[in-house]
Amino acid sequence: MSVLVRPFQWFYHEFGIDAVHNTGRNAYLIILARACRMFAYGTNSLILAIFFSALGVSDHRIGLFMTLTLFGDLLLGTFLTLVADRVGRRKVLLAGSVMMIASGLTFALFENYWVLLLAAIIGVISVTGGDFGPFRSIEESILSQLTSNSTRPDVLAWYVTTSALGSSIGTEASGRIIRLLQGKGWSDADAYHALFWVYAFMGIVNVLMVLSLTESCEMRPSQTYAQVPQDEHEQVSNAEVQEHPTVGLAESTQKPPRASRARTWLIGNLSQISAPTRSIMYKLWFLLAVDSLADGMVPYSLTNYYMDLKFHPTKSTLGDVTSISYFLGAIGSTFAGPLARQIGLINTMVFTHIPSSAAVFVFPFPPVFWATAGLLLLRSGLNPMDQAPRSAFIAAVVRPEETTAVMGITAMLRTFASMAGPTVTGVLAAGDRFWVAFVAAGTFRLAYDFGLFAMFASMKIDKDDKKPNEPARVPQDYEEFELESPRFSLESSSSMDSGEHKDSTSDKTMSDDVPSLASNKPL
């Protein structure tokens, strides 16, 4: 019996299922909620552009719709993410789920272009098949809080894996549903409307999952961020801050102008991110913007539309190909955690993403459907493998109280960069140059890959096995990140003891705050 059980035990531990189990019920609920949400996104990513084409909407307007929808996601997602820790993470996730239901019902009932555009901008509709809006940043922040550095890559890998499975099943189901309804005499537009009822139902499921989350998903009071004075003349004691919460601000009996209040609110939220973190994230944000611009030019919805225009396959065949592509992405994602432990986070991101980028570059050149579909499968199978390592890398280099803000700004910048993509592709498609979008996108993606390797492959970061919800111990200055090894590894911090810096709020030295670990296992 032990011989039969041993392979399952190996899989359970090696592929990180034990990490998910040890994280607890909230991790299961968040992972399952995203899988259901991605099922809904999968149902409409196959047919969204085709749906508008069936309604007689021009290619230029289809691209404009996707751009404006991403712009709405940018504003909504950024706002909700920045206030999530203050208002309550579960409340924000619940609000997003309700907006998802409202958008699904609107698309199920209406055909007017402007009504659908309004519902997409102020609601939650995935125009690319990706998880835009407030959900992902907050969920990743919660999972990062619930896990330790050693378990986080595996938990996030399963978070990505199950979402890809959800997209795969949703895409397959949509193709089959459309074929079934068309066989019963339904028009194309009516069959597409039916899928949005499924979308709205999955929003209801998402609401139930969010309502089942516990209080431990919220930011704990001990982790609440207090802004540290940047100048010794600005230092204020904690007692003074508690007694006079407006210290440092000019006292006024008059209410400040609305624009001034908005600026103060924005700066106050962005100040959650410390200078050492920003010095790292500026570089990563730039690279992610380049990658997101490429993804925005050729999302799965427009990729399906391109194959539909070029080869005219049946919708069920197109659904099968897209479903298999998502399924391969799910399989690939399961290897992200083990691979990251062996070769490091950045190496995993780069070496799995380069073949995917190359597949995008050559996508428009094959003259037959099966070869084009094969490139889509290659792209989709490897593309998700960089997501969990990227989130784990971000969580490892920021403090716990910064995580939600950093994840939110990362999502904002990615969405902002994606916005221009669909419009550009729409213009190219209208001018019979659809193929140029794939070549340009592949070029941008490869630039992201090589830039990521050049900037971060040799960076070492400290890794500790802190318990969930304990403050992370990270280097306080960018110079403390050593740049020698081409892989992430743990490094003893004894070499930094000679250069002690006094902390602005205690008498402890900086060397006391940085963990001293001696392990050669890559992060």
Side-chain angles (χ1 to χ4, degrees):
M1 181 62 70
S2 60
V3 177
L4 297 176
V5 173
R6 192 174 296 118
F8 293 99
Q9 291 178 333
W10 173 84
F11 183 84
Y12 179 79
H13 294 287
E14 184 65 23
F15 284 83
I17 300 177
D18 60 331
V20 180
H21 176 74
N22 293 333
T23 304
R25 168 189 170 187
N26 288 318
Y28 285 115
L29 288 171
I30 290 173
I31 290 173
L32 184 58
R34 193 187 187 211
C36 293
R37 191 168 66 249
M38 295 305 292
F39 175 91
Y41 292 166
T43 60
N44 75 269
S45 66
L46 174 67
I47 53 92
L48 190 61
I50 302 173
F51 169 65
F52 278 109
S53 180
L55 297 179
V57 179
S58 66
D59 290 342
H60 175 69
R61 278 197 170 185
I62 293 174
L64 180 63
F65 171 87
M66 294 188 174
T67 293
L68 293 178
T69 300
L70 289 171
F71 179 71
D73 289 337
L74 169 69
L75 297 180
L76 180 67
T78 302
F79 171 75
L80 292 179
T81 302
L82 289 177
V83 302
D85 287 342
R86 188 177 307 166
V87 174
R89 293 169 175 174
R90 291 174 296 172
K91 291 181 181 179
V92 173
L93 292 176
L94 183 62
S97 301
V98 172
M99 288 186 288
M100 180 179 172
I101 297 171
S103 296
L105 293 176
T106 303
F107 273 75
L109 296 172
F110 295 93
E111 293 187 352
N112 182 274
Y113 176 82
W114 300 108
V115 172
L116 298 179
L117 178 60
L118 180 63
I121 291 176
I122 66 176
V124 177
I125 283 287
S126 176
V127 298
T128 64
D131 197 2
F132 290 101
F135 296 104
R136 182 170 181 175
S137 300
I138 298 173
E139 289 173 344
E140 287 180 342
S141 180
I142 294 173
L143 291 177
S144 297
Q145 174 177 300
L146 296 174
T147 55
S148 66
N149 283 350
S150 60
T151 62
R152 189 174 299 123
D154 288 319
V155 173
L156 290 173
W158 281 105
Y159 176 75
V160 174
T161 298
T162 54
S163 70
L165 283 173
S167 297
S168 174
I169 298 171
T171 305
E172 177 67 19
S174 66
R176 298 297 174 183
I177 292 173
I178 291 173
R179 183 176 181 180
L180 176 64
L181 295 178
Q182 288 175 338
K184 292 184 177 182
W186 289 44
S187 66
D188 290 348
D190 289 339
Y192 300 148
H193 278 302
L195 292 179
F196 290 105
W197 287 106
V198 177
Y199 187 92
F201 176 77
M202 284 300 160
I204 296 175
V205 174
N206 222 69
V207 167
L208 298 177
M209 296 290 181
V210 172
L211 291 175
S212 301
L213 295 174
T214 67
E215 182 67 26
S216 60
C217 295
E218 306 292 350
M219 174 66 75
R220 293 194 172 185
S222 61
Q223 292 178 309
T224 302
Y225 178 74
Q227 186 173 355
V228 179
Q230 301 299 313
D231 189 283
E232 62 181 5
H233 301 294
E234 299 176 2
Q235 293 184 10
V236 181
S237 69
N238 289 334
E240 291 174 333
V241 172
Q242 295 174 358
E243 183 178 357
H244 304 289
T246 58
V247 67
L249 299 176
E251 296 183 359
S252 175
T253 59
Q254 296 182 352
K255 193 175 183 178
R258 181 174 299 178
S260 177
R261 296 200 309 272
R263 178 176 177 274
T264 301
W265 172 85
L266 179 61
I267 293 176
N269 281 287
L270 293 178
S271 67
Q272 296 180 43
I273 304 175
S274 61
T277 297
R278 290 197 302 268
S279 65
I280 300 171
M281 293 307 301
Y282 285 151
K283 296 179 180 180
L284 184 60
W285 282 334
F286 172 76
L287 293 173
L288 290 175
V290 174
D291 182 54
S292 297
L293 173 62
D295 288 341
M297 294 180 68
V298 290
Y300 288 121
S301 54
L302 289 179
T303 300
N304 289 329
Y305 185 41
Y306 174 80
M307 291 193 294
D308 185 62
L309 291 175
K310 185 174 181 179
F311 300 108
H312 306 290
T314 64
K315 298 302 180 293
S316 59
T317 300
L318 196 59
D320 290 341
V321 171
T322 308
S323 177
I324 294 172
S325 69
Y326 281 127
F327 181 73
L328 291 177
I331 294 176
S333 298
T334 62
F335 291 92
L339 189 61
R341 290 196 298 270
Q342 296 299 319
I343 67 174
L345 296 173
I346 295 297
N347 286 343
T348 300
M349 294 167 63
V350 172
F351 297 144
T352 60
H353 202 257
I354 287 178
S356 177
S357 302
V360 174
F361 183 88
V362 300
F363 183 79
F365 299 120
V368 292
F369 177 76
W370 66 266
T372 303
L375 290 173
L376 175 61
L377 297 181
L378 176 62
R379 167 192 172 182
S380 304
L382 295 176
N383 196 60
M385 291 186 68
D386 78 322
Q387 296 178 20
R390 180 177 65 232
S391 298
F393 171 71
I394 293 174
V397 298
V398 304
R399 300 166 182 169
E401 65 271 14
E402 300 173 340
T403 305
T404 301
V406 169
M407 295 292 189
I409 292 177
T410 301
M412 176 197 71
L413 293 175
R414 286 177 61 82
T415 305
F416 183 79
S418 299
M419 282 168 42
T423 298
V424 173
T425 302
V427 172
L428 292 172
D432 199 25
R433 293 187 297 274
F434 206 153
W435 63 273
V436 176
F438 292 93
V439 175
T443 302
F444 290 145
R445 285 166 59 100
L446 288 170
Y448 158 79
D449 295 328
F450 293 122
L452 188 69
F453 188 81
M455 291 185 184
F456 295 105
S458 58
M459 179 184 293
K460 292 183 180 180
I461 64 174
D462 289 300
K463 174 184 175 183
D464 60 51
D465 289 324
K466 69 180 184 64
K467 296 179 180 179
N469 299 325
E470 284 185 351
R473 299 176 294 172
V474 298
Q476 303 298 306
D477 293 310
Y478 179 72
E479 288 76 9
E480 295 176 17
F481 288 93
E482 299 191 11
L483 305 175
E484 297 176 359
S485 171
R487 288 162 51 176
F488 285 90
S489 62
L490 308 180
E491 180 79 1
S492 172
S493 60
S494 60
S495 61
M496 290 183 283
D497 291 341
S498 60
E500 297 179 348
H501 295 74
K502 291 290 183 180
D503 190 281
S504 61
T505 59
S506 71
D507 293 328
K508 291 193 306 179
T509 63
M510 185 65 69
S511 59
D512 292 330
D513 291 334
V514 180
S516 179
L517 301 172
S519 172
N520 294 322
K521 190 175 182 180
L523 178 64

